Amino acid sequence: STDDFVYTTYHDLNSINSFIDMLVAENSNLVSKIVIGQSYENRPLNVLKFSTGANRPGIWFDTGIHSREWVTQASGIWFAKKIVTDYGRDPVLTDILSNYDIFLEIVTNPDGFAYTHSNDRMWRKTRKPNSGSSCVGVDPNRNWDAGFGGAGSSSNPCTETYRGPSAHSEPEVKAIVDFVKSHGKLKAFVSIHNYSQMLLYPYGYTSTPAKDQAELHELARKAVTALQSLYSTRYTYGSIITTIYQASGGTIDWTYNQGIKYSYTFELRDTGRYGFLLPADQIVPTAEETWLALMAIMEHTRNNPY
Amino acid sequence: KKTFEGDQLLQITAKDEAQISLLKELSEQEHLGLDFWREPVHESLPVDVRVPFHSLQAVRAFLGYNQIQYNVMIMDVQDLLDDEQREMVKYRSFPR
């Protein structure tokens, strides 16, 4: 059962998919699995849907779009269990779920993730071949139709930030695009990466401030304060372009431009001591502190309907 | 399966824009096989780069020659991966 699942270690894709199925089986009144598409290598793109009623607006979380960022997928597992555990016990989460559906894609790039387990632990991109190049894969966080092809992404298939031949060329990205558009009522969208301890909001492709920048900044401050209340982890926050660098074709720039105001992206622990090789004993502390920030974002979304 | 024996993670602290430019030049040297975990962007942000064993000497010489400060964050990437693998195997053998 998911009570016996070991949350303090990393798991491969089969194990995560078993976890997803177990969670659904144990909590069928609250959780269902939806398949929003298939990866290039025909793996299902599984999304957990936490819902207590029909026709609700939604809140989206995804983890692991960069396959080597293992603590994000591991945190996603922990979030899923946390939601079913706290529903009915935590009044804030219960109320959020009375009004919103929560969607959680734990392994956003399953081909890349499987590849990190089988061939190359440091693989970041998708696994689709690039015609005319011996280099494989696209950076799915440069593949969105938001300043696509601009500065802060690469046209070279052999680089880690290769944007792909066209916006939404990657099935892993296109599946989310189609889902977001067909759902039509997502009110918050949080894409989770690691590392470097940041909470970021749009934009990455332009220095023009997002029209909701003041509110996004204040909510980021609130979320980071909540996160830091647990282990005092040092976090910075701000727009992508002012806080890290210019990055074109990024996920949350697209979601924000689709009208999802509360669009954020996380960079979880650490600051470079371990990078993408964060020891497994830090999975749960990372997830715990991040959850507090996610709750702050969800609570604000609930309290500020638009 | 790709291994990372002897690869190191260096955390580089550039002191000014000139050093950032040098690091950007370094990142364009494809033959070194560098994997920038954090890109050179601004002197306020550290740069993390995984350096394959075969490029260690060249990269360290470059940094030393240009007086760019760095620390070794991971001495041997493969050691850490082996630990990670051992831990996963240990928990996999637990009865469910």
Side-chain angles (χ1 to χ4, degrees):
Chain A
S1 80
T2 59
D3 291 333
D4 300 328
F5 194 82
V6 183
Y7 295 89
T8 53
T9 192
Y10 293 114
H11 295 272
D12 63 17
L13 189 59
N14 287 338
S15 180
I16 293 174
N17 284 335
S18 298
F19 167 84
I20 286 172
D21 290 338
M22 280 193 294
L23 194 80
V24 171
E26 292 168 1
N27 303 275
S28 55
N29 58 328
L30 176 64
V31 195
S32 56
K33 180 176 84 172
I34 56 178
V35 181
I36 62 168
Q38 285 191 317
S39 67
Y40 172 74
E41 293 174 343
N42 296 320
R43 293 185 173 87
L45 298 170
N46 294 324
V47 174
L48 285 169
K49 178 181 180 182
F50 302 85
S51 180
T52 61
N55 299 317
R56 304 270 166 85
I59 294 170
W60 170 279
F61 302 123
D62 64 77
T63 49
I65 199 168
H66 288 149
S67 49
R68 65 187 178 184
E69 300 174 7
W70 278 14
V71 78
T72 66
Q73 294 94 342
S75 295
I77 294 168
W78 190 92
F79 299 151
K81 181 65 176 173
K82 180 71 172 167
I83 292 170
V84 300
T85 305
D86 282 6
Y87 176 66
R89 294 180 188 167
D90 177 338
V92 176
L93 179 71
T94 304
D95 189 59
I96 289 166
L97 278 166
S98 298
N99 295 283
Y100 290 83
D101 293 340
I102 298 174
F103 298 93
L104 171 59
E105 187 174 11
I106 294 176
V107 187
T108 309
N109 175 7
D111 295 349
F113 188 65
Y115 197 71
T116 63
H117 281 270
S118 61
N119 290 64
D120 180 354
R121 173 65 178 82
M122 289 303 136
W123 192 259
R124 163 188 170 101
K125 300 188 283 184
T126 62
R127 288 297 304 164
K128 192 162 80 175
N130 296 303
S131 68
S133 173
S134 60
C135 295
V136 170
V138 167
D139 180 346
N141 198 31
R142 299 289 186 281
N143 189 238
W144 300 72
D145 191 10
F148 178 83
S153 69
S154 172
S155 59
N156 177 357
C158 296
T159 61
E160 296 288 11
T161 54
Y162 175 51
R163 64 178 77 109
S166 60
H168 307 164
S169 61
E170 300 311 285
E172 298 82 359
V173 171
K174 182 69 163 51
I176 301 175
V177 166
D178 290 345
F179 176 80
V180 168
K181 285 182 171 175
S182 66
H183 187 283
K185 288 196 294 184
L186 291 182
K187 299 298 179 183
F189 190 108
V190 184
S191 188
I192 303 179
H193 296 240
N194 81 293
Y195 62 104
S196 65
Q197 298 173 190
M198 294 172 176
L199 176 55
L200 305 166
Y201 51 78
Y203 285 108
Y205 73 89
T206 175
S207 54
T208 303
K211 68 175 166 33
D212 302 297
Q213 170 146 325
E215 184 182 359
L216 292 172
H217 193 78
E218 175 55 21
L219 176 53
R221 187 198 62 75
K222 212 160 50 173
V224 164
T225 301
L227 183 154
Q228 290 175 324
S229 68
L230 198 56
Y231 297 114
S232 303
T233 305
R234 190 173 56 81
Y235 253 69
T236 53
Y237 55 93
S239 72
I240 296 168
I241 195 167
T242 60
T243 310
I244 330 182
Y245 44 54
Q246 187 168 18
S248 300
T251 311
I252 62 161
D253 284 358
W254 182 82
T255 58
Y256 184 78
N257 285 345
Q258 289 294 305
I260 305 176
K261 178 159 68 166
Y262 301 117
S263 289
Y264 285 95
T265 185
F266 269 94
E267 295 285 355
L268 306 184
R269 292 181 185 194
D270 75 10
T271 53
R273 176 71 186 86
Y274 296 104
F276 301 118
L277 302 176
L278 197 67
D281 63 7
Q282 292 198 43
I283 294 170
V284 171
T286 302
E288 284 174 335
E289 66 185 10
T290 308
W291 178 251
L292 299 180
L294 296 181
M295 282 294 291
I297 293 169
M298 287 195 287
E299 198 173 355
H300 184 91
T301 303
R302 179 199 62 180
N303 294 341
N304 296 274
Y306 64 93
Chain B
K1 189 169 187 175
K2 188 170 166 59
T3 61
F4 301 87
E5 281 155 27
D7 290 14
Q8 294 189 347
L9 181 70
L10 306 185
Q11 186 162 84
I12 302 169
T13 313
K15 68 174 183 213
D16 52 29
E17 193 51 45
Q19 290 195 343
I20 290 291
S21 295
L22 286 168
L23 292 171
K24 283 181 177 165
E25 282 173 29
L26 185 69
S27 72
E28 285 158 13
Q29 306 295 313
E30 284 189 16
H31 67 282
L32 294 172
L34 304 180
D35 176 13
F36 279 82
W37 289 5
R38 289 204 283 195
E39 301 278 337
V41 182
H42 190 267
E43 57 265 34
S44 63
L45 295 170
V47 176
D48 294 342
V49 56
R50 179 175 59 80
V51 184
F53 179 71
H54 67 81
S55 299
L56 268 178
Q57 207 173 2
V59 170
R60 285 176 172 223
F62 177 88
L63 297 173
Y65 179 77
N66 292 291
Q67 298 182 319
I68 301 175
Q69 200 186 332
Y70 68 94
N71 291 309
V72 179
M73 304 301 281
I74 299 176
M75 205 58 185
D76 187 326
V77 169
Q78 191 60 46
D79 280 352
L80 217 47
L81 290 178
D82 291 343
D83 289 345
E84 190 177 73
Q85 194 62 31
R86 266 192 296 273
E87 181 135 350
M88 287 177 69
V89 169
K90 185 174 86 181
Y91 283 109
R92 201 177 295 146
S93 62
F94 275 18
R96 290 272 164 80

